[in-house]
Amino acid sequence: MTTTVTIPQNLLPRDGRFGSGPSRIREDQATVLYQSWRSPLGTSHRQDGVKDIVASIRRELAALFNLPEGYEVVLGNGGASQFFDIACACLIERKAAFGVCGSFSEKFAKEAQDAPFLEEPVIFRKDYGEAAVPEFTEGVDAYCWPHNETSTGVMCPVTRVPGSKEAGALTIIDATSCAGALPVDISQTDAYFFSPQKAMGAEGGLWVAILSPAAIARAEAVENSATLDGATRWVPAMLSLTKAIKNSRKNQTLNTPAIATLILMNEQLKWINANGGLDWAVARSRQSSNILYSWANASDYATPFVPEGPARSTCVVTVNLDDDVPASEVLGHLRANGIVDCNGYRALGLNQLRIGVFPSVDPADVEALTHCIDYVVKEMKAQA
Ligand SMILES: *Cc1c(COP(=O)(O)O)cnc(C)c1O
């Protein structure tokens, strides 16, 4: 039986939250939330108090992503997982192609496999730790892949599959754990979707999608055809993208949103844009990830999971530990000292740490984290 390691105070980060989602929420955001307790918290989402916040979110996102002409910010309830189903219900016409390289991209593809009105999707699968992007395939009308596979810490390029646009196909990107932390050219996408509890430093429950005019037109066409006599496709109201678009244009959501989530997200967007926008946020995450990868490279018991190169994520960092350093024990000691959520993704089953270094995370805290891990491992070895 090992005794819990006590990390010296002077080594500890100021904030011990390093989760990949839910992720760190800054104190300034929580302060605004508290100041909102009489209004707009607890007031109608159909009135100006809440609608103004939704309008601000849509404006700030348009600025953050430098939206091309005609692109729209659309939102609704249910998180990114809900958007998997919205894409299947309203954006994929008949057949999709998926890049799959981890748990989240697998889940998205599974929804399309299970949808009875869609043809069997084409899956382009890569090993954990590698990036996956679908290849041009005849008859495919939607190409789908993750920008950042959160389960493995892998980034995939966001560039249209050559020939796909000319063939009238959409590009649908799951950007849940990187929207606001990785660079992106939105014109390379038709739907760039995410939920706010990761790089956006807010709470879960909401989905946001940046939609191109082609995606909006596709949703209208698919939903119209689903209402024709003899149609085999049913688009439930909660999965209707055209209903979400109509509501978003009025700065509302189809059904009641968590107002606290909207407030937190709005504050985060204002903070990022005031500090220099996406370039600034990207650089801050990259600085934090560099600290971790350099530490792991120099360590005699830790190794970056993803080889150096374009696939190695700069916002979700995965690090393998040697077999004689069980991650579960390291995590237990860290947690006892207030350093939380550095665990690897369960389904991968690797002896691994996974650290979310989103813009809310101070690189100085990341530096401190490396010293804390080293301290814990040194003490574990001394006890052994
Ligand atoms: C977290 C995550 C999801 C699921 O998000 P929810 O808001 O929990 O539905 C989907 N895709 C990726 C890449 C994620 O990181």
Side-chain angles (χ1 to χ4, degrees):
M1 189 49 208
T2 54
T3 48
T4 302
V5 173
T6 302
I7 301 173
Q9 281 290 331
N10 65 331
L11 292 186
L12 291 174
R14 284 161 57 109
D15 190 323
R17 295 171 295 170
F18 294 97
S20 299
S23 65
R24 184 181 299 208
I25 289 173
R26 292 174 304 104
E27 188 175 2
D28 287 353
Q29 291 169 279
T31 302
V32 173
L33 198 56
Y34 181 72
Q35 288 163 348
S36 311
W37 77 275
R38 273 178 195 278
S39 175
L41 283 176
T43 69
S44 169
H45 60 297
R46 306 278 179 217
Q47 300 298 324
D48 285 348
V50 178
K51 280 170 36 174
D52 287 350
I53 292 173
V54 175
S56 171
I57 287 173
R58 296 178 70 226
R59 246 189 346 260
E60 296 286 340
L61 280 170
L64 183 74
F65 291 121
N66 193 15
L67 291 199
E69 189 64 32
Y71 277 67
E72 293 188 39
V73 177
V74 177
L75 70 169
N77 285 310
S81 304
Q82 173 94 347
F83 200 85
F84 293 165
D85 292 328
I86 291 173
C88 291
C90 310
L91 288 177
I92 303 169
E93 201 169 299
R94 286 156 56 91
K95 183 175 177 145
F98 286 87
V100 171
C101 55
S103 294
F104 290 104
S105 43
E106 188 81 61
K107 279 184 195 165
F108 191 6
K110 176 84 168 46
E111 291 310 290
Q113 286 174 314
D114 289 349
F117 45 82
L118 297 180
E119 287 177 29
E120 190 60 24
V122 198
I123 312 262
F124 293 86
R125 196 181 298 278
K126 282 288 169 64
D127 287 339
Y128 291 157
E130 293 175 31
V133 172
E135 289 166 21
F136 183 83
T137 309
E138 216 56 64
V140 160
D141 59 69
Y143 290 85
C144 316
W145 71 94
H147 191 179
N148 192 66
E149 180 37 90
T150 323
S151 63
T152 57
V154 158
M155 306 190 287
C156 304
V158 177
T159 315
R160 288 182 192 273
V161 173
S164 64
K165 192 171 184 183
E166 295 71 16
L170 299 180
T171 298
I172 304 175
I173 302 294
D174 179 357
T176 302
S177 60
C178 62
L182 293 186
V184 66
D185 173 0
I186 288 288
S187 72
Q188 294 293 318
T189 73
D190 294 297
Y192 188 76
F193 69 92
F194 53 91
S195 28
Q197 75 276 20
K198 302 193 179 178
M200 292 277 166
E203 284 268 67
L206 205 70
W207 60 261
V208 180
I210 316 288
L211 298 180
S212 73
I216 294 168
R218 174 72 69 85
E220 279 163 9
V222 167
E223 291 189 51
N224 280 337
S225 72
T227 60
L228 298 176
D229 272 355
T232 53
R233 189 167 181 141
W234 173 51
V235 179
M238 280 297 287
L239 299 185
S240 165
L241 192 51
T242 58
K243 285 191 168 65
I245 293 166
K246 275 197 202 103
N247 276 283
S248 299
R249 285 175 180 161
K250 292 187 285 180
N251 296 318
Q252 298 188 42
T253 44
L254 177 71
N255 66 328
T256 317
I259 296 167
T261 307
L262 295 173
I263 294 171
L264 292 170
M265 184 177 181
N266 188 35
E267 290 310 309
Q268 185 73 350
L269 287 167
K270 288 195 296 189
W271 178 70
I272 292 176
N273 282 336
N275 274 295
L278 192 57
D279 289 347
W280 173 81
V282 168
R284 189 167 155 95
S285 284
R286 190 176 288 145
Q287 186 188 350
S288 291
S289 69
N290 280 340
I291 292 169
L292 287 166
Y293 291 126
S294 307
W295 159 78
N297 278 329
S299 162
D300 56 8
Y301 64 88
T303 324
F305 173 55
V306 180
E308 184 164 11
R312 188 186 269 181
S313 175
T314 57
C315 61
V316 174
V317 172
T318 45
V319 173
N320 282 352
L321 301 183
D322 286 355
D323 289 344
D324 62 341
V325 182
S328 57
E329 275 183 43
V330 176
L331 292 163
H333 292 301
L334 290 175
R335 183 165 278 277
N337 287 273
I339 298 171
V340 300
D341 301 338
C342 300
N343 45 294
Y345 197 77
R346 275 158 298 131
L348 255 49
L350 296 171
N351 192 42
Q352 191 171 91
L353 304 178
R354 184 181 54 148
I355 297 142
V357 286
F358 300 133
S360 293
V361 174
D362 185 344
D365 278 352
V366 176
E367 185 73 49
L369 172 67
T370 63
H371 299 310
C372 291
I373 299 171
D374 281 343
Y375 186 87
V376 161
V377 172
K378 187 183 70 173
E379 291 294 305
M380 279 168 56
K381 288 191 168 166
Q383 282 182 23

